[in-house]
Amino acid sequence: MAKNPSYEELKYRVKELEKKSDGRKLVGKELRESKHYYRSLLNHIHEDILVIDRDYRITDVNKTFLITTGRTREEVIGRHCYAISHDYNSPCEEHEEQCPTDSGRRWPFNWFQRH
């Protein structure tokens, strides 16, 4: 049968949990600040920018691109770049165009493409 923890043990455990909670709050705050900084940078660039993942899906876009194309974020995010940029049903290579994100290998990171 397990022994019940003493008051001092419980008090110690509560302090440890509070420390972990404070650490998580700090990380969450830093993450929010980082995301805000990234969004500010992206949206203050006055060129059309798409952020594209390895599967050619658009993961982010700046306001300039949306204004230029007359689209909304909801219409663009998650769609393939070739569908949005060129109105294609398949990647650019299948239309005898070289994709600017592919130089014979797949990138291990998101690719920023100017249009």
Side-chain angles (χ1 to χ4, degrees), residues 9 57 64 90 102:
E9 289 172 324
R57 290 208 182 268
T64 304
S90 55
D102 199 358

Side-chain angles (χ1 to χ4, degrees), residues 53-100:
D53 70 11
R54 288 177 274 177
D55 296 320
Y56 304 111
R57 290 208 182 268
I58 300 169
T59 60
D60 209 347
V61 62
N62 71 346
K63 288 179 185 177
T64 304
F65 180 84
L66 298 175
I67 291 168
T68 300
T69 62
R71 296 178 184 263
T72 64
R73 285 183 61 75
E74 292 75 23
E75 292 174 301
V76 175
I77 302 297
R79 302 264 319 270
H80 288 106
C81 59
Y82 50 80
I84 296 297
S85 295
H86 307 293
D87 203 27
Y88 291 160
N89 296 347
S90 55
C92 299
E93 301 88 32
E94 295 178 25
H95 299 273
E96 298 183 14
E97 290 185 35
Q98 183 172 352
C99 177

